Amino acid sequence: MSIEIETFSNFKGGNSFYKAISHPLAASKIQKLIENVSSNRKIALYDPLGFFSEFSKLYDTSSFKITSAFVSDIERVGSSIAGCLARPISEIIGIEEDFLFVATYDLAEQIGAFRHLIPHKIKILSFDEIRLDNRFLTNKDVYLESINFATNFAFFRDQNGMRTQIVTANYWFGYGAKDVFLHLILFGEDGKILLEWDECLDNKPIGVIIDSKTIRQKFGLKQFTGQLFIHAIGIRGHDVVKYCLDTWHQNGKEISCTHDANSWPSELYAGLPAPNKGEKVVLWVQNSHAESISANAIGFNIMGKPNITKLKKEIPGYATLQVSLSEILPDAKWPEQIEIQAGKHFVRPRYEITNAQKNRRIAHVNVERNDLNSDPSIPQLTQHLNKGFILPAPVFPIEKWRSTILPTPMATCQQDLPIAVLLVNEKGEEIAHQKFGSLSRDHKTAIDTKDLLEGNSALNSSFGHLELIYDFSNGGNADGWLHAIFRYENKKTGHRAETSFGAHMFNTVLTYKGEPQSYSGPPPGLSTRLFLRLGRHPLDTICHLIYPASAQWHDTSTTLFTLYNCAGKKIAEETIKIPCGGSHLWRFSTAFDPKKRYLTDGGSYVVIRDKTCRLFGYHGLFSNNGAFSFDHLFGF
């Protein structure tokens, strides 16, 4: 069963009320509130903002004995609320119920103007009973302001030699924030709290590392696999908690990374690859709520196929369940992909793949949108925008690496994918262009970039990039939400990594439906601010920057790399130039002055800044034994 509450809207943004009532620190208070309200006493309900129905979708309010309901909006008078016909709040005089339950926060503000109309004998309760303590609020005056609920979840494991590390920075300091701290709650596999603590961030742009092994040693924990809840408090300028999650094995033969969890539970997720020969694919389902996910509430199906297999296990609140795709969908094989019927029970989950060589990698699925329709204007955009929407990704040197693209339907309206793939060298010169027609929703087309070159030796020993774009020469529809999985393999060692992302418009002053996106402010986004974490020696950090352009822009970028140590002190800077339409491979081992590099330590990072254009970037850690990680960068 799906939770019908609205968690996020691409038109209105996140739902702060959802964040407030789903916060782990509110869970015990909510249970007490329900117990207080649930009695033989009669309840009058005042629901000024429509929150009660939303609350009832996440929590069981069937025991509430509501005998009358009131609203302030005349247009809602006569509507059904909690089984009652809504009456105007002006009629609250003389009510005979035992309780008045006000279904909102900031009670004094909500009823102050008509408090004199409420009979004095009536006991009043509200959602103020479940407020977080003031120390957890950035804005103590307006409870439901989004900046009060800068929260996220992270997959977190320290077990059997495998460990995890969350890496970010105090990027809120750059917006003027002071005395920021992270409140952290570690849930075990069974959903029970293993640990709760604060991490205070210095008033500097410091690097932040939360390492599973360090946490275990510091607090004397046993081995665990679970999830970490992160709440950033005292922040400014950015209400999203972003991070890079590194995972590796202590034997040094495995290393992987993935992006932040995207903190809004979704109805659907897609882009989960079916197992290839010799592979085991596991999805880590981690309940984002205090209420259990009932058996059969979650389902899986091969993309484009109607048959849904339900997960027959119940998942307790905040618990973690390892789901094997081979058991759920034994007939699913790469390059098929899996659609997840998630029912808004959990944030964007991670999947983990182990191959025949026992190499392990981790990545994330993406939100599949159900609010889009095909946009007939997109095929006409080329008259103003040459390429329109572009999905860029690196191509590794073909002599030693295999780079594969799997286009992934990422909206329920996408019954076909009209695409073409361009291969581009670092100078921005197109060296291959192949049309793939209009792929069906259930397609099995994995594109090996070597096949696109048809014997051409280009990119044999150098990095380049590809661009997935729309192509309507064989018909098809588009909505602007074009996605793909990019998989990379070291041919010699068999180590693999993969990442996925969606298309955007880049580097044009023209705008279309919010594109090109901006890190802050309205479109067009014509600047770059990216975070690049650095790995510890002997791991080398690489960054592959791509300068895509929907229309012609500056001939070259002016891209500044600024190196910070873990204390937030600026150590060094260097500037590079990337040709428009081209790319650049950057390695920490050859960047900056060697003496400056030696001043870095755990928690050091690089900020990539460009005020002339919008770049798209990928990062990775490379080991001498062939193990590597790879994912896309995040901006702030």
Side-chain angles (χ1 to χ4, degrees), residues 351-400:
Y351 64 88
E352 195 166 31
I353 302 179
T354 306
N355 64 17
Q357 289 79 30
K358 305 300 182 183
N359 298 321
R360 188 186 308 268
R361 64 189 186 275
I362 193 167
H364 64 69
V365 297
N366 285 304
V367 171
E368 182 180 1
R369 292 179 62 175
N370 55 9
D371 62 337
L372 289 177
N373 294 306
S374 295
D375 183 351
S377 298
I378 290 179
Q380 313 306 319
L381 292 178
T382 53
Q383 61 180 313
H384 300 295
L385 300 168
N386 180 24
K387 294 179 181 177
F389 288 93
I390 302 171
L391 176 50
V395 175
F396 288 8
I398 290 172
E399 282 182 340
K400 298 180 180 179

Side-chain angles (χ1 to χ4, degrees), residues 116-132:
H116 61 289
L117 301 179
I118 304 171
H120 290 290
K121 66 177 182 178
I122 299 295
K123 182 176 181 181
I124 303 174
L125 293 174
S126 73
F127 285 141
D128 282 343
E129 308 291 324
I130 60 174
R131 285 174 65 106
L132 302 182

Side-chain angles (χ1 to χ4, degrees), residues 366 387-394 405-408 419-422 465-470 480-486 499-506 546 548 550 616 618 632:
N366 285 304
K387 294 179 181 177
F389 288 93
I390 302 171
L391 176 50
I405 320 152
L406 179 64
T408 55
I419 63 166
V421 177
L422 314 181
H465 81 275
L466 63 86
E467 295 179 354
L468 196 65
I469 62 173
Y470 286 121
W481 200 241
L482 178 64
H483 280 68
I485 296 171
F486 305 102
T499 182
S500 60
F501 203 73
H504 290 287
M505 291 185 184
F506 292 92
I546 303 171
S550 297
F616 197 77
Y618 292 80
H632 54 86

Side-chain angles (χ1 to χ4, degrees), residues 305-370:
K305 305 296 184 183
N307 296 330
I308 298 174
T309 300
K310 297 295 183 70
L311 184 66
K312 300 186 183 303
K313 296 180 180 179
E314 178 180 329
I315 306 176
Y318 303 118
T320 293
L321 181 67
Q322 180 180 244
V323 178
S324 169
L325 287 192
S326 297
E327 295 176 8
I328 291 288
L329 296 172
D331 296 328
K333 305 295 181 186
W334 169 269
E336 290 178 315
Q337 48 198 290
I338 310 304
E339 190 173 34
I340 306 167
Q341 312 289 327
K344 298 183 181 178
H345 290 287
F346 46 89
V347 299
R348 179 171 65 186
R350 271 70 173 202
Y351 64 88
E352 195 166 31
I353 302 179
T354 306
N355 64 17
Q357 289 79 30
K358 305 300 182 183
N359 298 321
R360 188 186 308 268
R361 64 189 186 275
I362 193 167
H364 64 69
V365 297
N366 285 304
V367 171
E368 182 180 1
R369 292 179 62 175
N370 55 9

Side-chain angles (χ1 to χ4, degrees), residues 415-433:
Q415 299 304 311
D416 48 58
L417 298 173
I419 63 166
V421 177
L422 314 181
L423 284 187
V424 185
N425 66 19
E426 61 184 0
K427 298 178 182 179
E429 300 166 341
E430 184 180 307
I431 56 177
H433 184 149

Side-chain angles (χ1 to χ4, degrees), residues 238-288:
H238 208 302
D239 61 2
V240 179
V241 177
K242 295 191 173 186
Y243 60 82
C244 171
L245 179 70
D246 288 314
T247 63
W248 67 92
H249 197 282
Q250 64 184 13
N251 63 15
K253 297 179 180 179
E254 297 175 8
I255 184 168
S256 190
C257 67
T258 182
H259 208 51
D260 61 73
N262 191 340
S263 61
W264 305 99
S266 177
E267 182 73 31
L268 297 163
Y269 295 101
L272 174 59
N276 205 343
K277 185 177 180 180
E279 287 184 339
K280 178 182 178 182
V281 180
V282 163
L283 182 72
W284 291 99
V285 177
Q286 300 187 297
N287 190 349
S288 297

